[in-house]
Amino acid sequence: DSGVTQTPKHLITATGQRVTLRCSPRSGDLSVYWYQQSLDQGLQFLIQYYNGEERAKGNILERFSAQQFPDLHSELNLSSLELGDSALYFCASSVTPGGQETQYFGPGTRLLVL
Amino acid sequence: GQQVMQIPQYQHVQEGEDFTTYCNSSTTLSNIQWYKQRPGGHPVFLIQLVKSGEVKKQKRLTFQFGEAKKNSSLHITATQTTDVGTYFCAGPQGGNTPLVFGKGTRLSVIA
């Protein structure tokens, strides 16, 4: 158990819909990362937050947005969903935001768009 | 931007055979990290290498960081079925930026 929690574990929805994925980082971690993993694909970095502020952006679509709240939990919002958005979405956390830090991954949310 | 390439993409081995995955970066890395993702699971941190030429061992796993700090390898001796999974390397883009993950090497072990 990494100490990072993600809800829900599974999500099935239809095209055009909007969903929210939630992540709670490990106790004491200030930085949160979101990744997308499609079938047979690596980890695509989406976005990073550190202590409530956006820190870095990766290949995140304009239909996607995220935020980190004062209690440090984070939410990833996916809107106007398309079939191709079906994937595993991981959240990870680390103490500080730099590339020296080990990232601890949550169990992921499996999203299926029908 | 910086890229981290991993080869091979897939590797099938008989139980007891050795396995090696290679990681190459287009730029010099301040450190490199390795993660393992079991089927149906999430990536789990294995190790971090920081020094040029560094070699670290964890039981049957040997990790190396190249002298130029642009490449790394993970070698597993005498694979077991518990080694099945995808192995990712990751390195920072530079400065205080997040890790860039390679696409991973998926290891299958045939008993």
Side-chain angles (χ1 to χ4, degrees):
Chain A
D1 183 5
S2 66
V4 179
T5 60
Q6 287 187 249
T7 56
K9 284 189 178 179
H10 303 277
L11 199 48
I12 302 174
T13 188
T15 54
Q17 294 298 304
R18 172 189 169 96
V19 297
T20 297
L21 313 183
R22 183 188 168 104
C23 167
S24 291
R26 288 190 324 155
S27 177
D29 285 359
L30 300 178
S31 195
V32 169
Y33 311 78
W34 285 98
Y35 293 89
Q36 179 191 59
Q37 186 177 46
S38 303
L39 197 63
D40 282 347
Q41 292 294 312
L43 293 161
Q44 297 293 319
F45 169 67
L46 297 178
I47 198 163
Q48 177 196 10
Y49 281 82
Y50 175 65
N51 206 18
E53 300 289 325
E54 182 183 303
R55 178 83 178 187
K57 244 180 179 177
N59 301 320
I60 188 165
L61 300 172
E62 285 192 15
R63 300 183 286 108
F64 296 180
S65 65
Q67 59 185 131
Q68 186 179 28
F69 294 86
D71 67 351
L72 299 178
H73 91 271
S74 178
E75 292 181 357
L76 178 67
N77 300 296
L78 315 176
S79 62
S80 302
L81 284 167
E82 302 175 359
L83 296 178
D85 297 327
S86 296
L88 254 178
Y89 290 85
F90 286 109
C91 163
S93 73
S94 65
V95 176
T96 60
Q100 306 281 352
E101 291 291 322
T102 297
Q103 293 186 17
Y104 295 88
F105 283 78
T109 293
R110 186 174 295 277
L111 173 66
L112 180 60
V113 183
L114 299 175
Chain B
Q2 183 226 2
Q3 292 188 359
V4 176
M5 311 297 290
Q6 265 188 271
I7 55 169
Q9 190 174 357
Y10 301 96
Q11 186 79 58
H12 305 278
V13 299
Q14 286 284 141
E15 189 173 23
E17 291 181 342
D18 292 356
F19 158 77
T20 304
T21 174
Y22 300 90
C23 180
N24 293 287
S25 169
S26 56
T27 60
T28 302
L29 300 169
S30 60
N31 76 92
I32 194 151
Q33 299 182 26
W34 286 90
Y35 292 75
K36 177 183 178 181
Q37 183 178 17
R38 294 181 186 274
H42 59 274
V44 174
F45 172 76
L46 293 177
I47 207 160
Q48 181 185 57
L49 304 171
V50 178
K51 298 177 185 176
S52 169
E54 188 171 12
V55 178
K56 285 188 176 179
K57 292 191 175 185
Q58 289 180 350
K59 297 182 180 178
R60 294 177 295 102
L61 277 62
T62 302
F63 303 84
Q64 292 189 327
F65 200 10
E67 293 290 339
K69 299 183 77 172
K70 294 178 75 172
N71 57 73
S72 181
S73 65
L74 158 59
H75 179 81
I76 302 178
T77 303
T79 55
Q80 299 176 358
T81 53
T82 53
D83 297 323
V84 165
T86 301
Y87 293 84
F88 294 97
C89 64
Q93 294 182 54
N96 209 24
T97 54
L99 294 172
V100 174
F101 282 81
K103 288 193 178 296
T105 295
R106 180 179 290 183
L107 173 63
S108 300
V109 179
I110 305 163

